Amino acid sequence: MKYRIILFLILGLDASILIFQTTQISISPSEASLLYGDASFLQQLVKLSLKIFGQNDFALRFVMILLHLLSAWLLYVISAKYLALERNRLWLVAVFVLLPGVVSAALVVSHAGLIIFGLFLYVYVSQKLNDYYVNMLLFLYALLDAGFVYLFVGLAIFYLFQKNKILFLYNLFLAGLSVYIYGLNISGVPSGHFLDTIGVYSAIFTPVIFIYIFYTLYRGYLNDENDKIWYIASTALLFSLLLSFRQRVELELFAPYLILALPLAAKTFAHSYRVRLTNFRKRYRAIFVLAFVFLIFNTLIVMFNKELYLLLDNPKKHFAYKMHIAKKLATKLKAMNISCVKTSQDMQKRLKFYFIDKCDENVLQELQPHSSIRSDVTIRYKNKILYKANVTKINNK
C-alpha cells in the first residue's frame, strides 16, 4: 500500500508542476498548426478539451497532461514483469516523469505524447488480454495516427522471427494501411543528419540514459534476450538512424519507442547491480546518481527557463521562445482596444487562439528586440526586452 501512496504522490507532484507550467507558456506555431490545420485524432481530442474547459492554455494542454499521467501509471504496472521490487518500479516512474523529452511531450501538444501512451497501452493490453483485443487495438492505432507505423513494423519483424505467419502478415498489413492513409516521409537527397539525431536523442533522454538504453538494446542483441519491446524499440532506433543519413528525422515519432525500452534498461541495470558484491556496486550507484543529477538539472531548466533570457543577447535563441510571446502580445493588444490584426502567418494562428482575429485594418509589424525604433508594443521579462512591434492602422476609406 505504501508504494501505491508514493506513486500517487509522485504523479500528484508531477501534475502540479505541469499545470503550473501551463500558466507560464503560450501556444506555439506548431501547436497552432495542429489545432487549426488538417483534421487528426489528436486535434479532435484537444478541441473536445477546449469545448469542455473553455479556450485557454490549461484546456489546450489538458489532454497531453492526462495522457502523460496515464502513461506513467501504465509504466508502473507493465514494469512488474521486468522489476520484481516495487521500489525499483517507483524509481523507474520517477526517471520517466523527469526525462526532458517526456516533460516536453506532457506540455507541448504533439503526437509524441499520444504515441507514448499508445505504446504503453499496447504492452499493458498484450500482458492482460488475449490476442483478439490486442489485434483490435492495433487496427485502431493504424487508423488514428501515422506515428504507430513503426510499432507495426517492429511487431512484424518480431513475429517473423517467431515464425508466426498470421500475425506477421497482419502487422505487415497494418503497416501498409498506415502508410496508405498517412504516407511515409522518406524523401530528399543524402544530407547527413546522423550526429544531429544522436545529439537530439541525448537531449531527449540526457546523455547517460540514452547511452544506457542503446547499450541495453545492443546487449539484448548479443545475448539473444529479445521480447516484443526489444524488437519494437530496436526497429524504431534503427530506422531513425538509417533515415538520418538521408534527411532530418522527426524524432517526436521515434523517441517514444526508445522510452518504451525503459523497463528493459531498468531490468538490465537492476540485474547488473544485484549480481555484484557490495564493494563493486559503486560504479553503478555513480551512474544512477549522475543520471538523476542530469534529470533534475533539466527539470529545473524547464521550470525556470525564463531566467535564461537574462543570459542571452538575442532572446530568439532561447529554446522556448516560440512558446512565450503570443499570450502576452494578445493581452497587450486587447489593452489597446485592438481585437484584430494582420501579421505573419505563424503569429496570426497563435493570436487566433487568444481571440485576436485577422483583419486588414491593423497591421502588426515585428521589430528586432534591440531596435532603436519606438515601438507600440514591448514585451519584457525582468526588464529584458523579448519582443517589440508596431501596430499601424490602415485607413481603407
Side-chain angles (χ1 to χ4, degrees):
M1 175 61 76
K2 70 175 182 179
Y3 292 111
R4 292 296 178 94
I5 294 174
I6 295 172
L7 173 64
F8 285 114
L9 287 175
I10 292 173
L11 297 184
L13 178 61
D14 183 39
S16 300
I17 293 172
L18 292 174
I19 291 171
F20 170 75
Q21 286 298 313
T22 63
T23 66
Q24 304 298 304
I25 55 180
S26 60
I27 190 171
S28 68
S30 61
E31 291 174 313
S33 295
L34 189 150
L35 183 60
Y36 299 117
D38 296 336
S40 66
F41 177 67
L42 181 59
Q43 181 196 75
Q44 297 308 309
L45 288 179
V46 174
K47 286 187 174 180
L48 177 61
S49 175
L50 294 173
K51 186 176 181 180
I52 295 173
F53 298 107
Q55 192 158 314
N56 55 71
D57 290 285
F58 170 76
L60 176 68
R61 307 182 194 286
F62 172 76
V63 171
M64 307 314 301
I65 294 174
L66 178 62
L67 291 177
H68 166 75
L69 295 175
L70 291 174
S71 297
W73 178 79
L74 286 171
L75 175 61
Y76 177 81
V77 174
I78 66 180
S79 62
K81 177 181 176 181
Y82 302 90
L83 298 168
L85 298 178
E86 283 199 77
R87 66 171 179 268
N88 289 342
R89 292 159 62 191
L90 288 175
W91 281 115
L92 179 59
V93 171
V95 168
F96 171 76
V97 300
L98 289 172
L99 284 174
V102 172
V103 174
S104 175
L107 281 174
V108 180
V109 180
S110 70
H111 295 273
L114 177 63
I115 297 170
I116 292 170
F117 170 74
L119 292 175
F120 283 146
L121 180 62
Y122 162 75
V123 175
Y124 175 80
V125 172
S126 65
Q127 287 181 358
K128 301 294 184 180
L129 302 175
N130 61 42
D131 286 345
Y132 172 79
Y133 296 101
V134 174
N135 293 330
M136 288 298 295
L137 181 66
L138 290 174
F139 182 76
L140 187 63
Y141 284 177
L143 301 178
L144 293 183
D145 199 282
F148 291 112
V149 64
Y150 303 105
L151 170 62
F152 309 137
V153 174
L155 288 174
I157 296 173
F158 170 74
Y159 287 118
L160 177 65
F161 281 95
Q162 294 294 313
K163 295 181 171 52
N164 190 327
K165 294 181 180 179
I166 295 177
L167 290 179
F168 164 71
L169 292 174
Y170 179 67
N171 282 279
L172 210 58
F173 161 74
L174 293 179
L177 178 62
S178 179
V179 172
Y180 174 77
I181 295 173
Y182 297 104
L184 191 64
N185 184 20
I186 300 179
S187 60
V189 295
S191 52
H193 293 284
F194 180 82
L195 293 180
D196 292 341
T197 300
I198 296 296
V200 175
Y201 270 136
S202 297
I204 290 172
F205 292 95
T206 72
V208 175
I209 293 178
F210 173 66
I211 291 171
Y212 200 82
I213 289 175
F214 187 90
Y215 162 76
T216 299
L217 296 178
Y218 181 66
R219 175 176 168 166
Y221 168 75
L222 293 179
N223 297 339
D224 198 26
E225 299 173 354
N226 309 329
D227 63 359
K228 285 182 183 180
I229 287 182
W230 184 90
Y231 275 95
I232 294 168
S234 298
T235 299
L237 176 61
L238 185 60
F239 262 86
S240 67
L241 295 180
L242 290 176
L243 285 175
S244 69
F245 286 107
R246 183 177 181 84
Q247 65 192 62
R248 189 175 296 277
V249 178
E250 296 180 58
L251 287 185
E252 74 169 68
L253 301 180
F254 290 98
Y257 291 89
L258 293 194
I259 292 173
L260 183 65
L262 285 175
L264 292 180
K267 176 186 175 182
T268 301
F269 186 88
H271 175 74
S272 300
Y273 182 84
R274 188 172 58 252
V275 298
R276 282 165 172 77
L277 296 174
T278 304
N279 292 338
F280 298 96
R281 293 176 176 178
K282 293 181 180 178
R283 183 176 64 176
Y284 287 87
R285 284 197 291 266
I287 292 173
F288 186 78
V289 170
L290 182 61
F292 246 85
V293 168
F294 271 111
L295 289 172
I296 293 173
F297 177 71
N298 279 279
T299 300
L300 291 175
I301 287 179
V302 171
M303 289 178 62
F304 304 103
N305 66 83
K306 287 186 177 181
E307 303 300 323
L308 297 177
Y309 281 120
L310 305 179
L311 305 176
L312 298 172
D313 291 332
N314 185 355
K316 291 188 177 182
K317 292 182 179 179
H318 192 289
F319 70 92
Y321 179 78
K322 292 184 177 181
M323 302 188 71
H324 282 158
I325 301 300
K327 180 163 56 176
K328 287 192 174 181
L329 177 58
T331 301
K332 286 184 175 290
L333 291 174
K334 290 175 184 176
M336 298 165 63
N337 293 320
I338 296 174
S339 59
C340 65
V341 294
K342 181 180 181 180
T343 186
S344 64
Q345 185 175 357
D346 280 351
M347 186 58 75
Q348 196 81 65
K349 289 181 180 179
R350 298 170 71 191
L351 291 175
K352 179 181 178 181
F353 181 77
Y354 299 107
F355 306 102
I356 301 294
D357 297 323
K358 182 179 181 180
C359 69
D360 295 325
E361 182 181 344
N362 303 299
V363 176
L364 177 71
Q365 184 175 9
E366 181 181 354
L367 303 173
Q368 291 299 321
H370 298 299
S371 172
S372 59
I373 300 174
R374 187 167 178 266
S375 61
D376 298 318
V377 180
T378 302
I379 296 174
R380 293 182 173 88
Y381 178 73
K382 292 185 177 180
N383 293 323
K384 182 69 176 280
I385 296 176
L386 308 183
Y387 178 89
K388 294 173 71 175
N390 279 328
V391 181
T392 305
K393 188 173 183 64
I394 305 297
N395 190 351
N396 294 319
K397 294 182 179 180

